[in-house]
Amino acid sequence: MKISKITVWQVDLPLHEGDYKWSGGKSVETFDSTIVGVETDEGVIGYGEVCPLGPVYLASYAKGVRVGVEELGPSLLGENPLHLEKLNRLMDQAMKGHPYVKSAIDVACWDILGKVSGLPVSSLLGGAYGENFVLYRAISQESPDEMAKKIAGYREEGYRRFQLKVGGDPDTDIKRISQASAQLQPGDKLVADANTGWLKHEAMRVVEAVRDIDVYIEQPCLRYEDCLSVRKHTNLPFVLDEVIDGMPEILKASHDLAMDVVNIKISKFGGLTRAKQARDLCVSLGVAMTLEDTWGGDIVTSAIAHLAHSTPTDFLFTATDFNSYVTQPLANGAPQRINGRMASSMAPGLGIEPMMDVLGDPEFVIS
Ligand code: MG
């Protein structure tokens, strides 16, 4: 089986809430998502999706996905899409870095592998645990009152885990955390994600002020060393995200006792092949995980669902249902949130069928 054609589409994903805001005044109103179809000489087509969180979250941007696939795609024609490790090595030889560019291609090849073998991707990733898995809701950065109100509302919808977007003015952030925690019931979990937004002295003030609150602290500062310094001065459970994008970083952070939970985003690691490798390493190291992506619609959410559902339940801290944040559906068969939880499809591959009328005309085709 050989890759014979790669097709790329662009779709806008507006948000139900109108916009999404996080540290440093960063925000997105409409997400720009790229869908990649990888077709084989035997007529099987697999799909992947990549949607950066704007151009200022990670070193990735929406147009970069498409320019990158245009650059990388021709070197993959004629290659076997089922040989995922070989294919990833080939992508790394053809293009240094840019994991987010490779992610949609890799996920599309997992979809092909599932369709050809007749198995859901969750089975290929190790097998699904339980009926479904737990989701969190990200709470966009607003006033402390507004964020507390949103937690109460999303709690009504069934969510039991909440990720507060902090990383702003430390005094306001202390109020955000305190007011949000007052909304919680026993068993709920609260994460304060600063998204690199605090300097060390600000982070130290916040963790000291909220020391008696049951809250996780995520990625307080920009640099790994600064996060580690804050970590050493707090007993609150600690999550690393932006500074962890590969196996060496996971091993170093584990060795330094720098985190209790790690955030693995599929496109940050370059696709499901590398995300699975990272997931399995974290299980071996005893580190729990948030499994998700930078953003996306139905196809990204399907890929997250297969990865999360095939992760041992006690290691899955939480996962994300991005397709319920956006107003635009992309595919039939995508998993849907029920009472704050989600299950991956049992159909072969990702279990989705793109809505071709939504995808529209391709941006370009490589063949
Ligand atoms: Mg985060």
Side-chain angles (χ1 to χ4, degrees), residues 193-350:
D193 187 356
N195 287 111
T196 75
W198 293 322
L199 296 174
K200 265 187 299 184
H201 70 102
E202 296 171 322
M204 298 286 271
R205 284 191 55 234
V206 176
V207 297
E208 183 59 23
V210 303
R211 60 185 298 169
D212 294 323
I213 295 176
D214 184 7
V215 60
Y216 291 65
I217 302 296
E218 180 162 340
Q219 191 72 41
C221 305
L222 184 61
R223 293 170 66 239
Y224 171 78
E225 289 76 10
D226 295 345
C227 291
L228 183 58
S229 166
V230 176
R231 153 74 164 183
K232 285 178 175 167
H233 289 87
T234 176
N235 290 320
L236 295 171
F238 215 80
V239 189
L240 288 179
D241 183 350
E242 283 90 332
V243 292
I244 305 290
D245 56 6
M247 287 3 107
E249 289 73 21
I250 292 173
L251 286 167
K252 177 168 172 49
S254 171
H255 178 264
D256 294 345
L257 305 177
M259 62 190 180
D260 306 297
V261 178
V262 65
N263 187 314
I264 295 174
K265 293 182 165 72
I266 294 170
S267 64
K268 186 173 66 169
F269 279 76
L272 279 172
T273 303
R274 294 290 173 251
K276 177 190 186 298
Q277 195 182 356
R279 186 271 309 268
D280 294 343
L281 176 61
C282 286
V283 170
S284 299
L285 295 170
V287 177
M289 289 157 273
T290 290
L291 296 175
E292 57 168 352
D293 211 324
T294 44
W295 208 273
D298 280 328
I299 304 174
V300 158
T301 304
S302 301
I304 292 169
H306 287 285
L307 182 65
H309 209 160
S310 62
T311 297
T313 307
D314 46 343
F315 281 89
L316 181 66
F317 180 61
T318 186
T320 320
D321 59 318
F322 286 116
N323 63 349
S324 86
Y325 291 61
V326 300
T327 61
Q328 178 63 64
L330 291 178
N332 293 308
Q336 303 297 329
R337 163 170 54 96
I338 298 171
N339 211 18
R341 302 182 71 87
M342 186 172 259
S344 58
S345 169
M346 291 308 288
L350 291 176

Side-chain angles (χ1 to χ4, degrees), residues 106-127:
D106 174 78
V107 172
C109 292
W110 277 91
D111 192 24
I112 293 173
L113 179 61
K115 286 173 174 168
V116 168
S117 64
L119 294 169
V121 168
S122 66
S123 293
L124 301 169
L125 292 172

Side-chain angles (χ1 to χ4, degrees), residues 15 18-22 26-32 52-55:
L15 288 157
D19 60 6
Y20 179 73
K21 300 196 274 289
W22 69 102
K26 301 183 200 77
S27 72
V28 172
E29 287 179 5
T30 298
F31 282 92
D32 177 341
L53 181 49

